[in-house]
Structures are given as C-alpha cells and as structure tokens.
Amino acid sequence: MKIVVQVKLLPEAEQAAALRSTLRMVNEAANWVSGVAFERGVPREYELRKYTYAVLKARGLGAQAAQHVIKKTRDAYTTLKANIKAGNLGKPGSKRRIKAESKPILFRTEAAQPFDDRCLSWQYDAQTVSIWTVAGRLKNVRFACSPDAIKMLREHRKGESDLVERDGVFYLIAVCEIPEPEVYEPDGFIGVDLGIVNIATTSTGYRAAGRGLNRHRKRQLALRKKLQAKGTKSAKRLLKKRSRKEARHTANVNHIVSKTIVTTAERTGCGIALEDLTGIRSRVRLRKDQRISLHAWSFHQLASFVEYKAKRAGVPLVYVDPAYTSQQCSQCGHIERGNRQSQATFACRSCGDVIHADDNASHNIARKGETVWTAGRESRVPATP
C-alpha cells in the first residue's frame, strides 16, 4: 500500500529564494500548458507533449521538470473529468459545473510540483536533500522529521516526491510503498455509524462525541467572520495564519478516532463495517442554518483514515449501504420512520425496544458488514468447470 511521509525543509535564505522561484516558474508554465490543453480539447499526454515540450525547454525548465509540468497538468484534467462524472460538481447545467468546464484549470504559484529521483536525491544520514531548481542544483538542503519518518523513507520510499510551500514554509511529501499484511478471517464485524453530533459510534460501545469538535468549528467560524468584517492588514495576516488551524484540528481528532476503532478491531479479531456515504451532501436537503454543519462534516477523511490504518494492520474492512440503518430495529428488524423518536433516541414501534439511535444504527451496520463479507468471500471461489 502507498502512504505519504511529509518532511519540513529548512533551507538557507538563498536556497529558499531559489525554491520559491522554481515553484513560481513551474506553476506559471503549468498554467500556460493548461491553456493549450483547453484550447485543443485536452489531448492525450503524448500529444500534449508535442505542443508544449519545446516551449517549456526554451523557458528554462529542465527536461524532467518540463515532463512533470505536462503530466501534472494532464492529471489535473483527468481529476476534473472524474469529479464531473461522479457528480461532485453538480448536475449538468449547474453554475458550479459550468464554471469548471468553461475555463482552463489554474495552478496557484505555490502549488505542489513533483520531483523524481533524477531531480531530487535524499541523504538520510545527514538529513539533507539535493534538488533541481531554476537557479541550478541545490545541495545540502536540510530537512526535519521524526526518527520513524526517517526509517520509513529509508526502507520504503519509492517514486516521486512533491515540493510544496505553505505559508512560507517548504515541505517535501514523499510516497512510500509498504507491504500489506495478509487480511485475517474476521470473527464478526464492528459496525461504525458516522455522524455530526457523534463523530463515530461503534457496535462495541465506543462513542466519539463531536461536541468539542463542533464547538471548535463554531469558534473558528465566528473569528473568521469578525476578522473578515474588520478588513485591516493585521486582520488579514491573522486570517492567513489561522487558515488551516481548523483542518489540522479536525485531522488530529479523526486520527485519534480511527486509531481507536482499528485497534479495537485488531485486538478482538473482528472486521470493520463502514457506511458508504458517497454523494450524501447532494442527496440530503437541509435548512440554510444546518448546511454549514453538513459541509464541514469530514466523514470521508475519517473513513479514509480508518481504511488505510486497517490495511496496515491487516484488518478486514467493508463498506455497506446505509439505507434504513437509522430506521430499522436492530432487535426485530422492523423498519419504520417513526422508530426514530429523536436524534438520540430509537424506540421500536413493533417490539418496544428502546436504545440510543447511533448504537442501534451501528448494530445494523455490523450485521450488514457480515452479509457483505460473506457474499464477497463466496464470489471469490472459482467456478466449477
């Protein structure tokens, strides 16, 4: 499986200027390539290279840097096409989709630029890198990371590394390929119900309350509104400084929750069943005052954290259809909208069972997980000739 390791670069002043100039130049070149691709109907990468490679070389880019600029641009259009096909940019004719399709893709001046082993080399013992820039090859650029990250890079780094600038700080994001352990045969499944009030509720009784995270988001939202209304230079500096604070806090919470879920499954020999919530934002209709909570809900990030941690631990994981999991009684199987008395209370109108609504949903998800696993296992058996 592939994971990424992020290291922080500690360049000298001259080195930082060269790195910044490099990112600016390659992204300006990518914007030009994007315009050419848009005018010509986004041709294949090989054909796009015929139109742009010579010009990029004449602009002062190295051979590998020019190739990566072209590939990065073509990949951006591939991603855009996939998002349109998946409906992530709205239905045909929507304003957001029309805007995305009517103009070339643009790259920020500090956007990430990939480097392969010809452009970038690592010296793990010295904790330095040598990297190509428009000012020539920079050697002995120091970087900082944890001992575990160094070990991961030394043993498993493979492929490209991305150079990116965030708030004046440079980072290298390296791809590592680690072997996946064999997935064991699960002794049952742990159902995980994802939500906003409770971030995650499992069928084993673990509940990660979202109260603290939601309070943090409300504080950040109120502060952003106040600073945006002020509009002074110092307010704008503070806005930029705090721009990613909420995202970092949310990611940290999701890492803690996902680690707890996977560790419990590994310890008990169970698998994990998650809801497939793809497209839920476009399906659900809410009042205007509820939309902020829905669109700030990071269920996809939490699910992806659980997924990659489960892969690293060899824990079986399946996605199930979330339909009726909140309306079905986990005891008798009766389905009725009226069973859901409130956000927190589930009271079955057939058998009279009363339980926390999220606990009830997690048990239904666990049972669906076993069904999906069994069906998938049977489908893998070769057909009799």
Side-chain angles (χ1 to χ4, degrees), residues 169-359:
V169 182
F170 293 95
Y171 298 91
L172 277 174
I173 303 173
V175 178
C176 296
E177 286 193 14
I178 62 175
E180 292 184 28
E182 186 176 351
V183 177
Y184 57 77
E185 186 65 27
D187 183 18
F189 273 79
I190 296 175
V192 183
D193 179 59
L194 305 179
I196 297 175
V197 175
N198 293 311
I199 301 172
T201 304
T202 69
S203 54
T204 58
Y206 170 68
R207 184 178 295 123
R211 184 172 56 252
L213 181 58
N214 291 329
R215 275 204 306 262
H216 178 80
R217 284 174 174 156
K218 287 181 180 178
R219 286 198 302 269
Q220 296 301 313
L221 178 62
L223 179 60
R224 283 199 301 273
K225 286 182 178 179
K226 191 180 296 184
L227 292 173
Q228 287 167 353
K230 199 159 186 73
T232 60
K233 288 185 178 180
S234 59
K236 291 177 181 178
R237 281 198 301 268
L238 187 55
L239 271 171
K240 186 176 181 181
K241 181 180 178 182
R242 302 176 68 91
S243 60
R244 278 179 281 271
K245 186 172 184 179
E246 182 180 330
R248 289 196 301 269
H249 181 75
T250 302
N252 181 60
V253 171
N254 285 336
H255 272 300
I256 294 171
V257 173
S258 59
K259 185 176 181 180
T260 303
I261 294 170
V262 173
T263 303
T264 301
E266 187 179 15
R267 187 182 67 250
T268 57
C270 294
I272 300 173
L274 291 173
E275 301 169 282
D276 184 4
L277 298 175
T278 304
I280 190 172
R281 288 191 175 96
S282 59
R283 295 196 306 267
V284 176
R285 293 186 177 275
L286 295 174
R287 298 192 310 269
K288 190 173 183 179
D289 59 336
Q290 295 176 316
R291 293 173 192 167
I292 293 177
S293 297
L294 176 66
H295 289 281
W297 182 22
S298 58
F299 65 88
H300 183 271
Q301 185 186 69
L302 176 57
S304 65
F305 286 176
V306 173
E307 184 175 347
Y308 95 79
K309 286 179 169 62
K311 281 185 179 180
R312 291 189 69 177
V315 175
L317 183 141
V318 295
Y319 285 92
V320 304
D321 185 358
Y324 304 110
T325 53
S326 62
Q327 300 177 18
Q328 182 179 18
C329 178
S330 59
Q331 296 297 319
C332 68
H334 175 67
I335 300 175
E336 185 178 340
R337 180 176 291 183
N339 288 344
R340 187 73 179 263
Q341 297 291 314
S342 66
Q343 188 280 324
T345 305
F346 183 94
C348 181
R349 293 192 173 185
S350 177
C351 67
D353 183 52
V354 179
I355 188 175
H356 193 285
D358 292 342
D359 289 335

Side-chain angles (χ1 to χ4, degrees), residues 88-99:
N88 296 334
L89 297 176
K91 298 179 181 179
S94 66
K95 289 183 179 180
R96 188 180 180 194
R97 181 162 173 174
I98 291 174
K99 183 178 179 181

Side-chain angles (χ1 to χ4, degrees), residues 59-216:
R59 286 188 173 201
L61 296 184
Q64 290 302 111
Q67 300 279 15
H68 284 304
V69 165
I70 297 168
K71 186 176 184 300
K72 177 174 78 169
T73 306
R74 189 61 186 81
D75 288 346
Y77 278 99
T78 302
T79 302
L80 175 62
K81 183 178 179 181
N83 282 326
I84 292 173
K85 185 177 181 180
N88 296 334
L89 297 176
K91 298 179 181 179
S94 66
K95 289 183 179 180
R96 188 180 180 194
R97 181 162 173 174
I98 291 174
K99 183 178 179 181
E101 293 176 324
S102 62
K103 62 180 182 179
I105 292 175
L106 293 178
F107 296 87
R108 294 174 290 107
T109 56
E110 68 275 11
Q113 172 68 12
F115 288 82
D116 60 18
D117 288 341
R118 297 183 184 181
C119 306
L120 174 69
S121 61
W122 298 76
Q123 296 81 45
Y124 302 116
D125 293 333
Q127 285 197 210
T128 61
V129 294
S130 171
I131 186 171
W132 173 89
T133 69
V134 292
R137 189 89 176 189
L138 294 184
K139 297 183 178 180
N140 301 321
V141 181
R142 295 182 299 119
F143 68 86
C145 63
S146 67
D148 289 340
I150 284 284
K151 183 180 179 182
M152 179 71 70
L153 289 169
R154 190 190 300 271
E155 296 177 358
H156 302 294
R157 188 193 66 80
K158 188 175 182 180
E160 298 175 350
S161 302
D162 288 350
L163 174 68
V164 63
E165 181 184 6
R166 296 182 191 142
D167 299 331
V169 182
F170 293 95
Y171 298 91
L172 277 174
I173 303 173
V175 178
C176 296
E177 286 193 14
I178 62 175
E180 292 184 28
E182 186 176 351
V183 177
Y184 57 77
E185 186 65 27
D187 183 18
F189 273 79
I190 296 175
V192 183
D193 179 59
L194 305 179
I196 297 175
V197 175
N198 293 311
I199 301 172
T201 304
T202 69
S203 54
T204 58
Y206 170 68
R207 184 178 295 123
R211 184 172 56 252
L213 181 58
N214 291 329
R215 275 204 306 262
H216 178 80

